Amino acid sequence: MQVPEEIAKLPEWHPLNHYIKEIDLLQNIIWELRTVKASEEPQVFFNLFNKLSTIDKRFERKENQLFPYLEKRGWDGPSQNMWSFHDNLRDQIRLLRKAFEEKEFEKIDQNIHYLLDGINNLMAVEQTVLFPNALQILEEQDWKEMEKGEVEIGWMPDCEPMPKKATEYVHPSEDESAKDLSFLDEKSAHYDEGYMTVEQVNLLFRTIPVDITYVDENDKVIFYNRGEERVFPRSAGIIGREVKFCHPPKSVGKVLKILEAFRAGTKSEASFWINFKGRLIYIRYFAVRDEKKNYKGVVEMSQDITEIKDIEGEKRLLEWS
């Protein structure tokens, strides 16, 4: 399919150019997969299939980058409809991969065309409906903001944009580009990504099922979250206390060794799991560092994983008892 004229004229940095590169790649992979049978050349087929499976990067960029900007401009059709096409194709990829693992090659040969036809149909809708309408609806600033965020998700192989000249880091709180922040509360504060009030931050920390304690670079406890069912007890008296006094003598040496390694930069994570009151507890320590890699303390996270460790298979349906 020929690239629409309005897309062909776009500057190189434009996100739609990256989508067009991926279309070229996908068309080549699809053509090759139509000429190869899994039953005759399983390894060749599997290599091509793995490359095709990276289409999920494309889906994720659309769902988390393109669709949100379209919603802000009043078009939620892609979020409501095209996302379901993505999920259908994901399911087909998952089932074909399972068939390959079980060496059901004849079954793959019989069904692969459904996936390939589905991807071709989706790309046709993108080029005739989604992309032209997006160009009409979105403004240049939307595309520039979108382009900045895409690197966090990534692209299909060999479709990455050319490296750009490094620019000085600008913290999001100092980013003066126009954004629609009408949803914010007047008490909201800016974080690396997003805005929350103090109440929302407290509710977040109170709700997540993980015990969190933050020890600063001076080895003083400066924060812990108040979950409803904490693994280990905490009280306000711990705030400002030296961390070496917050652990029993038999384990404090291990904690201090972790802090020493984190501060020296030789380690950044330490993990343990213990049986505690009949439950399996997963304890993790993470070094906290700023943008310049300066040591800023330690986050300790403890979680009851008794039920989590027994999870098998998949649960895709909502089943409330």
Side-chain angles (χ1 to χ4, degrees):
M1 180 177 290
Q2 187 174 2
V3 178
E5 183 178 351
E6 60 268 37
I7 297 178
K9 295 180 179 178
L10 293 174
E12 187 174 347
W13 61 264
H14 202 285
L16 288 190
N17 277 327
H18 309 149
Y19 284 113
I20 295 303
K21 284 182 183 178
E22 289 174 336
I23 285 177
D24 291 340
L25 174 65
L26 285 165
Q27 288 176 333
N28 289 331
I29 297 173
I30 289 171
W31 182 85
E32 290 188 72
L33 280 171
R34 292 195 192 279
T35 65
V36 176
K37 289 186 177 295
S39 56
E40 296 176 359
E41 298 179 89
Q43 191 58 55
V44 174
F45 179 93
F46 190 60
N47 291 341
L48 288 168
F49 180 75
N50 276 340
K51 186 177 288 189
L52 183 73
S53 299
T54 63
I55 194 174
D56 202 52
K57 288 284 186 184
R58 177 186 183 81
F59 294 162
E60 289 175 349
R61 287 206 324 281
K62 289 166 66 180
E63 293 160 359
N64 295 285
Q65 290 286 110
L66 180 57
F67 292 176
Y69 280 94
L70 293 175
E71 292 165 16
K72 291 176 185 177
R73 299 296 180 184
W75 188 27
D76 63 4
S79 304
Q80 298 295 320
N81 301 310
M82 189 170 281
W83 200 320
S84 66
F85 294 156
H86 294 173
D87 286 342
N88 287 337
L89 294 171
R90 285 174 169 128
D91 286 341
Q92 292 180 48
I93 290 172
R94 178 175 55 83
L95 291 172
L96 286 168
R97 186 174 298 280
K98 181 180 179 184
F100 195 93
E101 292 170 353
E102 296 175 354
K103 301 188 184 304
E104 297 177 333
F105 300 135
E106 296 290 345
K107 182 178 179 180
I108 294 172
D109 291 338
Q110 293 170 8
N111 292 286
I112 184 66
H113 71 92
Y114 293 115
L115 172 63
L116 304 183
D117 290 346
I119 293 174
N120 265 331
N121 291 338
L122 178 63
M123 291 191 296
V125 174
E126 289 174 344
Q127 294 189 81
T128 58
V129 180
L130 179 65
F131 296 159
N133 284 350
L135 281 175
Q136 291 288 327
I137 294 170
L138 300 182
E139 299 179 0
E140 183 174 3
Q141 185 60 39
D142 296 326
W143 293 111
K144 287 183 176 179
E145 290 177 10
M146 193 187 309
E147 187 255 348
K148 291 178 183 178
E150 289 195 335
V151 68
E152 295 187 32
I153 299 174
W155 301 266
M156 295 183 68
D158 303 320
C159 295
E160 301 88 347
M162 293 291 291
K164 294 194 301 183
K165 182 179 179 180
T167 56
E168 185 177 351
Y169 173 78
V170 178
H171 190 278
S173 62
E174 300 172 352
D175 185 355
E176 297 179 355
S177 56
K179 294 183 177 68
D180 177 12
L181 304 178
S182 58
F183 64 93
L184 293 183
D185 185 290
E186 62 181 9
K187 297 179 181 178
S188 296
H190 192 284
Y191 297 87
D192 268 354
E193 294 300 335
Y195 302 77
M196 290 193 293
T197 64
V198 171
E199 179 188 19
Q200 289 170 330
V201 172
N202 274 324
L203 289 172
L204 171 66
F205 280 121
R206 194 178 301 164
T207 302
I208 56 177
V210 180
D211 292 4
I212 299 176
T213 304
Y214 186 8
V215 177
D216 71 7
E217 64 269 35
N218 299 312
D219 296 345
K220 297 289 184 69
V221 179
I222 61 171
F223 171 86
Y224 72 92
N225 65 325
R226 284 186 173 177
E228 292 186 4
E229 297 183 9
R230 288 192 59 88
V231 175
F232 301 115
R234 289 279 188 270
S235 68
I238 197 175
I239 301 300
R241 193 180 188 191
E242 284 193 55
V243 69
K244 67 181 179 181
F245 297 126
C246 300
H247 293 267
K250 64 180 180 180
S251 63
V252 69
K254 186 183 299 181
V255 172
L256 294 178
K257 184 176 180 180
I258 292 171
L259 296 178
E260 182 181 345
F262 285 2
R263 183 176 279 104
T266 58
K267 299 290 182 182
S268 291
E269 186 269 343
S271 300
F272 308 91
W273 43 97
I274 62 172
N275 290 300
F276 181 71
K277 297 182 178 179
R279 311 293 291 177
L280 183 61
I281 309 302
Y282 191 28
I283 306 168
R284 307 183 75 185
Y285 294 84
F286 297 93
V288 179
R289 308 187 197 281
D290 63 16
E291 293 85 358
K292 296 181 179 179
K293 306 301 180 183
N294 295 315
Y295 176 73
K296 291 295 181 179
V298 179
V299 169
E300 177 192 300
M301 302 174 65
S302 301
Q303 184 177 13
D304 184 340
I305 61 168
T306 307
E307 281 77 30
I308 294 175
K309 72 180 179 64
D310 294 327
I311 291 177
E312 294 181 350
E314 294 183 342
K315 177 183 176 183
R316 291 175 172 264
L317 300 177
L318 180 61
E319 297 172 350
W320 280 340
S321 56

